[in-house]
């Protein structure tokens, strides 16, 4: 049930809870290299981070793919990613302490990600973090990826918080745009891109290298200005 006063923190997963986007990009580039396609890593990230796997497959391999073909390709790519990133799996600095303080303050915690269920399990269960969240929304729960706001709106709804009382944590421009479309303020983690990559967004209230730099009260004060 949604409460007019309930506050929520909604976290993107890849690049935000874990600093893994370089491994996602590496696995995508390797996936396409197997098919004779050479892509620019920076351009690919800016164009795709936050989109669902089937959306990326359609954009780069053609809309003729059947649902089954796309699912098989997604499985190949994500298996490669988990193989590459598995030995390095770790939460971004300060994250565990930050969410502990947020829970003490009565703030609901949610994950809103474009990742498939297998990757959600790989990350949240691998780090024993699933129990910390009141709600999780992933690619399997919504039809459209970011920059559409669907996954953030669903995460807020499942948390019992209104969009206006929800703050999103993101590392990618498409994710910040999705938060803007959802009517939510955003905090940018510069794990993947520099601060200037987000200069156009008027919903960004803070930027940080990791969670140790963030103050909860200051974030909500900035969100109400």
């Amino acid at each position: 049930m949604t409460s007019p006063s309930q506050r929520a923190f909604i976290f993107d997963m890849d690049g935000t809870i874990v600093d893994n986007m370089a491994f996602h990009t590496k696995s995508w580039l390797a996936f396409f290299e197997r098919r004779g396609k050479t892509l620019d890593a920076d351009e690919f990230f800016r164009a795709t981070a936050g989109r669902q796997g089937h959306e990326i497959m359609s954009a780069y391999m053609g809309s003729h793919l059947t649902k089954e073909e796309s699912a098989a390709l997604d499985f190949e790519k994500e298996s490669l990613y988990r193989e590459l990133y598995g030995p390095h799996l770790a939460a971004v600095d300060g994250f565990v302490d930050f969410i502990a303080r947020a829970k003490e303050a009565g703030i609901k915690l949610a994950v809103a990600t474009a990742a498939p269920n297998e990757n959600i399990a790989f990350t949240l269960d691998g780090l024993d973090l699933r129990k910390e969240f009141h709600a999780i929304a992933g690619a399997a729960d919504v039809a459209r990826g970011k920059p559409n706001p669907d996954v953030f709106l669903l995460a807020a709804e499942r948390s019992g918080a209104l969009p206006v009382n929800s703050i999103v944590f993101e590392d990618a421009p498409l994710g910040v745009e999705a938060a803007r479309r959802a009517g939510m303020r955003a905090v940018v983690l510069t794990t993947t891109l520099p601060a200037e990559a987000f200069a156009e967004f008027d919903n960004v209230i803070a930027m940080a290298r990791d969670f140790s730099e963030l103050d909860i009260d200051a974030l909500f004060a900035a969100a109400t200005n």
Side-chain angles (χ1 to χ4, degrees):
M1 181 177 179
T2 300
S3 167
S5 60
Q6 180 61 61
R7 301 183 298 176
F9 282 160
I10 302 177
F11 300 91
D12 168 56
M13 189 176 74
D14 294 326
T16 302
I17 295 175
V18 289
D19 185 6
N20 63 342
M21 291 310 296
F23 293 90
H24 264 301
T25 300
K26 185 176 181 179
S27 62
W28 273 115
L29 296 182
F31 172 86
F32 284 117
E33 283 174 3
R34 292 175 178 177
R35 291 156 175 81
K37 297 177 182 288
T38 301
L39 302 176
D40 179 87
D42 290 339
E43 290 181 3
F44 181 80
F45 173 82
R46 291 172 188 269
T48 63
R51 296 190 185 278
Q52 296 183 5
H54 71 90
E55 294 172 324
I56 298 172
M57 293 296 178
S58 179
Y60 284 83
M61 299 189 69
S63 58
H64 64 279
L65 291 173
T66 66
K67 184 177 181 179
E68 292 74 20
E69 289 171 335
S70 183
L73 293 171
D74 283 345
F75 181 82
E76 176 187 342
K77 183 271 165 187
E78 298 303 343
S79 297
L80 178 58
Y81 153 72
R82 292 191 294 270
E83 178 182 342
L84 291 171
Y85 185 55
H88 308 278
L89 180 63
V92 167
D93 287 348
F95 179 74
V96 174
D97 289 341
F98 182 78
I99 61 173
R101 295 198 306 273
K103 290 180 80 170
E104 288 176 0
I107 299 166
K108 297 290 187 179
L109 305 178
V111 174
T113 175
N117 287 335
E118 294 84 356
N119 285 7
I120 294 172
F122 167 76
T123 300
L124 299 186
D125 296 336
L127 296 172
D128 194 28
L129 287 174
R130 186 184 293 269
K131 65 182 183 295
E132 305 298 337
F133 296 100
H134 301 94
I136 297 172
D141 299 310
V142 294
R144 306 182 301 174
K146 305 165 189 175
N148 296 294
D150 307 30
V151 73
F152 287 138
L153 292 172
L154 179 59
E157 178 185 340
R158 288 179 172 177
S159 300
L162 296 171
V164 70
N165 293 330
S166 303
I167 295 176
V168 166
F169 295 79
E170 262 287 353
D171 72 305
L174 290 180
V176 176
E177 171 61 15
R180 187 191 67 79
R181 295 184 189 183
M184 301 176 183
R185 301 299 182 94
V187 175
V188 169
L189 276 294
T190 56
T191 53
T192 313
L193 292 175
E196 50 265 32
F198 303 88
E200 68 185 89
F201 296 103
D202 60 4
N203 63 322
V204 173
I205 57 172
M207 296 192 183
R209 290 171 297 180
D210 59 51
F211 289 91
S212 68
E213 300 180 351
L214 297 172
D215 178 83
I216 291 170
D217 292 335
L219 293 180
F220 279 108
T224 59
N225 291 337

